[in-house]
Amino acid sequence: MAKNHTRYIFSMGELKRKDNSIAFRNEKGNFYIPIQDTRELYCMNEVSFNTKFLDFISRAGITLHLFNYHGNYSGSFYPKEQLVSGDLTIKQSMCFIEQRLVIAKAIVEAIAANIYETLYHYFRHGKKELKQTLDWLKNDVKKFLCKDLTIEQILFIEGQIWSRFYDSFKYFLPKDFVMNKRVKRPPDNPINALVSFGNTLLYTKTISSIYETHLNQTISFLHSPREGRFSLSLDISEAFKPIVVFKTIFDLVGKKRLQVTKHFDKSLNYALLNEEGKKIFIDAFETRINETFMHKKLKRKTSFKNCIKLDGYKLIKYIVEGKDFKPFLLKEKV
Amino acid sequence: MAKKQTFNYNYIFLFYDIADEFSDIGKYRVAKVFKICKQYLKHHQKSIFRGNITPSDQIMLETKLKKVIDKDLDFISIIKVQNSGSFAEVVIGNDKKESESIFI
């Protein structure tokens, strides 16, 4: 349904305002993008536009995400902040000083729970080697998190969870895709490339979702809030990584829709998705993030994408009213 | 009394036939209708648009169209369905434009 709210521009061309709507012009001719039915635009190639266009999409509330030649995220243009709340910003900063650990712990707990759900699927289908990791995720992580911890210790536990998760790939992924070590900037093998690309997409989606709330994008709880990045979206996207990004990857790799020889750039040691690979991945990613399920509390169908926004609302509830903050859990569907 | 509508239509097909052969004014009307439609829907074929649209946007679209067309000469037909999953589609030949695709 909402899949069509997003457009990915893969060809070179020019975006412009035309007849109170958007037109994309490339060598093939004009392509019209309906302004009313678009929420996000992703530019994955050289695209030119002018201030007239930016002003226009800003008024329509469209977010523009830009990527560089290597497919790395370079930034977003988003409309003038309409949802600003000084009150919430002050409370959010207070919360960071006083209750950072509580929120950080809640996020780490959610990561563990969602990874557990993701891996359990493979355990149930005969991959018994996963038992150790599963037990560790279920019991030990909880025990660790009960103690009094510093933020460094919480981050260490988070790192442990991810590295154990990556280690477990060897039990259920084909040999070409096994990961030795998580390497970023630049990723050095196919699976690392997929993880990096997927995380980037999720990160941009989260920025757009947080934009629809009153939260301040720069004050984060698990990651340290440094300058120059919207670290809150790193925090909120964390709980969704296993269920959106990794599920998409496992699905594509398991069904052999993505293959090392076909969909990766050979000249770079297969460490970068080529255009066709990107398209396959984005398509599956969009399908996954727009997949709907019955939300237990709302009692109606919701998509994962909407749940990211709901997580933002939950955080506001915690900051303003002190209501328990519990990120989205796949098992409980809330 | 008409039965109360219990669900919303979220996907529409729009076909138009504007009388443009008889007069120059007709040609202007074609362009106007085209401009209005492309704000809301995806261009599918020469005089056919389709796409997801909210019920409130549908009302807006219809009022805007009513303002520009000549009611005696022009003809616009809108087919509403509940969502993009509630119909089957067969494509024959080269669908080179792929108006529904998320990639450009």
Side-chain angles (χ1 to χ4, degrees), chain A residues 104-116:
Chain A
K105 272 183 189 173
I107 294 170
V108 174
E109 211 169 302
I111 299 171
N114 285 339
I115 288 183
Y116 180 86

Side-chain angles (χ1 to χ4, degrees), chain A residues 12 18 39 83 110 122 135 152 158 193 195 197 205 209 221 239 244 285 288 296 334:
Chain A
M12 258 198 233
K18 197 172 182 226
R39 292 271 70 86
L83 300 171
Y122 291 94
D135 287 344
E152 286 80 16
E158 192 215 350
V195 174
F197 190 61
K205 291 268 169 200
S209 299
F221 298 93
V244 177
F285 178 85
R288 176 75 189 161
K296 287 266 169 68
V334 281

Side-chain angles (χ1 to χ4, degrees), chain A residues 1 3-4 6-8 10-11 19-21 24 32-37 279 282, chain B residues 34-35 38-43 52 57 60 84 97-104:
Chain A
M1 170 201 107
K3 199 175 166 184
N4 302 36
T6 312
R7 285 300 177 107
Y8 291 83
F10 267 96
S11 49
D19 308 327
N20 273 339
S21 187
F24 178 71
Y32 299 113
I33 303 169
I35 183 98
Q36 296 283 352
D37 193 33
K279 281 186 180 169
I282 289 174
Chain B
F34 186 79
K35 278 178 191 174
K38 79 181 177 191
Q39 288 177 22
Y40 295 88
L41 301 163
K42 282 156 194 141
H43 191 206
N52 290 295
D57 277 348
M60 290 253 277
S84 52
K97 235 187 166 179
E98 288 179 63
S99 57
E100 294 277 277
S101 159
I102 58 171
F103 305 112
I104 302 173

Side-chain angles (χ1 to χ4, degrees), chain A residues 20-110:
Chain A
N20 273 339
S21 187
I22 308 170
F24 178 71
R25 179 187 285 166
N26 60 8
E27 73 270 21
K28 272 189 232 155
N30 274 332
F31 193 99
Y32 299 113
I33 303 169
I35 183 98
Q36 296 283 352
D37 193 33
T38 311
R39 292 271 70 86
E40 284 169 293
L41 284 170
Y42 285 73
C43 300
M44 317 295 280
N45 206 329
E46 264 181 61
V47 176
S48 51
F49 38 76
N50 54 17
T51 47
K52 199 167 81 172
F53 170 74
L54 291 177
D55 173 57
F56 182 58
I57 62 164
S58 158
R59 246 184 295 148
I62 296 176
T63 321
L64 185 75
H65 299 291
L66 305 168
F67 290 78
N68 66 9
Y69 175 76
H70 303 284
N72 295 331
Y73 175 63
S74 44
S76 304
F77 169 81
Y78 69 44
K80 184 182 74 171
E81 285 266 13
Q82 277 161 354
L83 300 171
V84 284
S85 156
D87 186 40
L88 184 67
T89 311
I90 293 168
K91 282 187 177 143
Q92 202 182 336
S93 342
M94 294 275 280
C95 204
F96 174 77
I97 296 166
E98 285 160 11
Q99 273 150 338
R100 180 179 182 188
L101 298 177
V102 183
I103 296 173
K105 272 183 189 173
I107 294 170
V108 174
E109 211 169 302

